[in-house]
Amino acid sequence: MKRITGTHWAKYPTAGEIMGMPGDRSPMRDAIATLASQKVIVLACANSIRASGGRFLPPDQRADRDRVTSFGEEVRANLLPGVEVVPAMIVSLQQARERACRYIYAGG
């Protein structure tokens, strides 16, 4: 899938509205870059990405399984640099806690 830059965030205004951050680019871009430069590991859950269309697509598109699937693929292809996808966050969280790492939830 081709990586989309610039106004990609504005392509899905519902995502910005739901997260309280409308605009034409991800409001987390600078924060993620800063954290990555400080060796902070930022993870994204593949299960959540896969289901994200059901939350962020316009309501009339949420029942279309192909559209939800392609939305998740597009999200994954356009994650900010420094974000790593893990298969299931709950498993990764448990593994991190076993290694004395901390978890901070920054979702909506």
Side-chain angles (χ1 to χ4, degrees):
M1 180 154 290
K2 183 181 172 194
R3 188 164 183 84
I4 301 170
T5 58
T7 61
H8 179 72
W9 188 256
K11 183 176 178 182
Y12 300 106
T14 310
E17 291 166 10
I18 288 171
M19 296 177 71
M21 300 178 260
D24 64 355
R25 68 179 221 151
S26 173
M28 298 291 117
R29 179 176 298 280
D30 295 336
I32 298 294
T34 299
L35 291 170
S37 73
Q38 296 173 1
K39 307 289 190 231
V40 172
I41 299 169
V42 180
L43 303 176
C45 176
N47 290 332
S48 293
I49 291 170
R50 195 176 306 102
S52 62
R55 182 172 183 199
F56 295 123
L57 284 171
D60 63 328
Q61 296 179 21
R62 293 177 185 173
D64 182 340
R65 288 173 92 46
D66 291 336
R67 184 68 190 107
V68 171
T69 297
S70 66
F71 180 86
E73 291 169 354
E74 187 174 7
V75 167
R76 193 176 184 133
N78 288 283
L79 288 173
L80 294 173
V83 177
E84 297 178 36
V85 178
V86 295
M89 187 60 76
I90 192 73
V91 174
S92 298
L93 174 58
Q94 183 60 37
Q95 291 170 339
R97 292 185 74 182
E98 289 171 357
R99 292 169 178 81
C101 294
R102 294 191 181 201
Y103 170 74
I104 300 171
Y105 177 73

